[in-house]
Amino acid sequence: MTLKDYIWFDPTKCLIGGNWVSPQNGDYIPLINPSTGEELCNIARGQSGDIDAGVSAARSALDGEWGRMAAPERGRMLLELGRLVLTKVDELAHLEALDVGKPLKQAHADVIALARYMEFYGGAADKLHGTTIPYLDGYTVYSLREPHGVTGHIVPWNYPMQIIGRSVGAALAAGNAAVLKPAEEACLTALAFGDLAMQVGIPSGAINIIPGLGAEAGAALSSHKNVEHISFTGSVDVGSLIQTAAAQNIVPVTLELGGKSPQLVFEDADLEAALPFLVNAGIQNAGQTCSASSRILVQKSRYAEVLSLMADRYNALQIGPALSDLDVGPLISQRQKKIVDGFIEKGSDLEKIASGKIIADAPLGGSYAVPTLFASHDCTHCLAQDEIFGPIQVVIPFEDETEALAIANGTDYGLVASVWTQDGARQMRTAKAIRSGQVFINNYGAGGGVELPFGGVGKSGHGREKGFEALYGFTKLKTVAAYHG
Ligand code: NAD
């Protein structure tokens, strides 16, 4: 099976103002299949002129049909889009598997998540309202939630459908018009999403999609004077550039920048229940997940047992092409593989506990990294501190709750954490004490469902996506104070 068996749109175009157009300067970027290293197709190398056109189209949509559309009608369109996504599960999952390299069943789950975002935000569009505020005698005061206007969305390659769903879905539900810059490494499902949005009749210009390089199209979007909110998911370095660009124009930003998420396993934990979460949260999407759990903290009395159980799972892991649908697929690129292999080398002074196996007939050009489990007594080691974005986990022992919390909170990040214990008081105490945007108790949600507000503290970023919080983030609040005596 090849790309042409699943693609139904022209991947070389940009979606601007409801039209599929070629990039203004006629430049293209090759899109690589990470499972084989072969070229899948070309995509547009959009630049500042294309971004200008996208931002103008979004503004026209807000000044026209889209801006005037009542909230229930906007909601109905998103619900319809969710239904259409579900009729294309097979095509979308294959496009994502070919483009991102993720095993087919994981790509399939992402399609379902995209549909869920449309359902959730479609249903929420007409439930986003202000409040009345008691004030002085003779006044009636109320607040209005208004869209920011043109919103810019810069999306990474690891979960295109999920990140587009949570960010563009919430922005549209709140009445904004979106300009989306997908990642240059993976943008087929972004373009597919644009085509489906046109099919359900979302007015021209409400969604504009311009592929291109980060330093060109991405930088042009984040610094554009007529963009009124920026939503970014990706690396800390680029997040910092985006926040700087937004500061020049004084516009709000939502930054989701990854993490070093810990799972804390206390001696009274139900290990049978915990084990699948401990490992899966580290290897899902080959560890290229912002909420990957790359640190497993275990109380000393059960340390050897957890290492042995996790080692059994690692030793059985199979790595191969996305369409073979094994446990782990390739990394997104040879560049990412070099980074991850570099971390495995840096772990040579730690104890290597176990590793998975790349299948014998995996294509040589694929960017496969070997999932590797390390034990470390040093929580300051770079493998226990840096976001790796690969299938590597470090297991660290702790003596007691105080030490567990100190280690858990001892990185620059704070996105997701989990606590495995049967002790109710400890569950509550540790959930409060962990510095993180989400804490799971006796489970690990890898970001959780579409309903659960998600975002970080520290270098994991700021602002909240998902759930109703995201809708609030995509609006500005106006207070109206009427004096009537
Ligand atoms: P990146 O931050 O460079 O890219 C993410 C998005 O930002 C892409 O769409 C890219 O085109 C765009 N971008 C890049 N430079 C830009 C600029 N100057 N201005 C505006 N937009 C720009 O991430 P990457 O290089 O793809 O991956 C590098 C590392 O980032 C990974 O190893 C990982 O640690 C982290 N990362 C995190 C996430 C996450 O989900 N939090 C996702 C991808 C990567």
Side-chain angles (χ1 to χ4, degrees), residues 82 85-86 88-94 96 106-117 161-162 189:
V85 164
L86 289 177
K88 290 276 192 191
V89 174
D90 193 44
E91 291 90 335
L92 289 166
H94 276 83
E96 199 78 318
Q106 294 179 30
H108 188 278
D110 287 3
V111 187
I112 304 301
L114 173 61
R116 272 294 292 136
Y117 280 113
M161 282 189 282
Q162 294 217 31
T189 51

Side-chain angles (χ1 to χ4, degrees), residues 154-158 163 181-185 212-215 218-219 222 232-235 238 241-242 256-258 289-290 335-336 339 387-389:
I154 299 176
V155 166
W157 40 261
N158 54 345
I163 295 171
K181 207 296 284 172
E184 51 270 46
E185 295 87 350
L213 299 176
S222 57
F232 171 77
T233 304
S235 61
V238 175
L241 289 176
I242 301 238
E256 199 271 88
L257 308 177
T289 304
C290 43
R335 176 179 152 240
Q336 194 68 16
I339 296 173
E387 182 177 55
I388 298 172
F389 240 55

Side-chain angles (χ1 to χ4, degrees), residues 62 67 74 128-131 142-151 170-177 228-229 252 470-480:
L62 290 163
R74 282 203 308 272
L128 184 62
H129 50 69
T131 52
Y142 57 95
S143 62
L144 297 171
R145 286 209 170 267
E146 298 178 342
H148 290 292
V150 178
T151 52
L172 294 178
N176 300 280
E228 293 156 294
H229 179 283
L471 283 177
Y472 298 143
F474 279 112
T475 59
K476 50 193 182 210
L477 197 71
K478 178 186 280 174
T479 304
V480 181

Side-chain angles (χ1 to χ4, degrees), residues 142-316:
Y142 57 95
S143 62
L144 297 171
R145 286 209 170 267
E146 298 178 342
H148 290 292
V150 178
T151 52
H153 304 258
I154 299 176
V155 166
W157 40 261
N158 54 345
Y159 287 86
M161 282 189 282
Q162 294 217 31
I163 295 171
I164 289 167
R166 76 187 188 198
S167 141
V168 176
L172 294 178
N176 300 280
V179 181
L180 163 64
K181 207 296 284 172
E184 51 270 46
E185 295 87 350
C187 68
L188 292 178
T189 51
L191 296 166
F193 176 76
D195 183 75
L196 298 178
M198 292 302 99
Q199 286 187 36
V200 299
I202 291 190
S204 300
I207 303 179
N208 306 277
I209 304 175
I210 300 150
L213 299 176
E216 296 175 355
L221 182 58
S222 57
S223 61
H224 201 288
K225 297 227 166 331
N226 298 331
V227 170
E228 293 156 294
H229 179 283
I230 317 261
S231 164
F232 171 77
T233 304
S235 61
V236 173
D237 288 349
V238 175
S240 170
L241 289 176
I242 301 238
Q243 181 155 330
T244 304
Q248 301 294 322
N249 295 327
I250 319 286
V251 295
V253 283
T254 301
L255 299 179
E256 199 271 88
L257 308 177
K260 195 69 192 169
S261 298
Q263 300 197 56
L264 281 58
V265 183
F266 287 91
E267 60 189 355
D268 63 344
D270 176 350
L271 279 192
E272 204 182 321
L275 192 64
F277 291 90
L278 297 182
V279 176
N280 291 347
I283 59 158
Q284 185 182 314
N285 199 26
Q288 304 165 116
T289 304
C290 43
S291 52
S293 176
S294 48
R295 295 186 298 154
I296 308 297
L297 281 41
V298 186
Q299 197 149 17
K300 279 185 179 153
S301 55
R302 310 224 38 201
Y303 188 63
E305 191 184 352
V306 170
L307 277 180
S308 155
L309 289 168
M310 289 184 73
D312 289 347
R313 287 187 95 91
Y314 262 77
N315 287 328

Side-chain angles (χ1 to χ4, degrees), residues 270-464:
D270 176 350
L271 279 192
E272 204 182 321
L275 192 64
F277 291 90
L278 297 182
V279 176
N280 291 347
I283 59 158
Q284 185 182 314
N285 199 26
Q288 304 165 116
T289 304
C290 43
S291 52
S293 176
S294 48
R295 295 186 298 154
I296 308 297
L297 281 41
V298 186
Q299 197 149 17
K300 279 185 179 153
S301 55
R302 310 224 38 201
Y303 188 63
E305 191 184 352
V306 170
L307 277 180
S308 155
L309 289 168
M310 289 184 73
D312 289 347
R313 287 187 95 91
Y314 262 77
N315 287 328
L317 289 177
Q318 288 197 302
I319 301 99
L323 296 186
S324 304
D325 208 11
L326 303 172
D327 304 302
V328 180
L331 297 170
I332 186 69
S333 60
Q334 292 295 342
R335 176 179 152 240
Q336 194 68 16
K337 174 174 157 55
K338 211 167 149 201
I339 296 173
V340 172
D341 286 349
F343 272 107
I344 294 176
E345 241 178 85
K346 286 179 198 162
S348 57
D349 55 342
L350 299 180
E351 192 185 350
K352 188 165 131 186
I353 302 297
S355 50
K357 281 178 195 56
I358 300 173
I359 59 169
D361 55 354
L364 286 178
S367 38
Y368 300 99
V370 178
T372 310
L373 182 69
F374 289 96
S376 176
H377 290 256
D378 175 10
C379 61
T380 65
H381 193 282
C382 66
L383 265 68
Q385 286 289 320
D386 298 352
E387 182 177 55
I388 298 172
F389 240 55
I392 298 176
Q393 286 179 294
V394 183
V395 189
I396 304 167
F398 65 81
E399 191 69 52
D400 55 18
E401 193 177 308
T402 306
E403 192 186 12
L405 289 170
I407 299 172
N409 291 340
T411 73
D412 291 341
Y413 297 99
L415 190 60
V416 177
S418 84
V419 183
W420 294 90
T421 176
Q422 312 286 341
D423 178 338
R426 176 181 279 153
Q427 292 169 359
M428 299 302 117
R429 259 193 327 266
T430 50
K432 268 194 176 171
I434 291 175
R435 196 174 149 267
S436 179
Q438 285 188 335
V439 178
F440 291 88
I441 296 171
N442 292 332
N443 71 106
Y444 190 92
V450 309
E451 308 84 351
L452 310 185
F454 177 66
V457 301
K459 286 199 174 154
S460 290
H462 52 75
R464 292 293 175 264

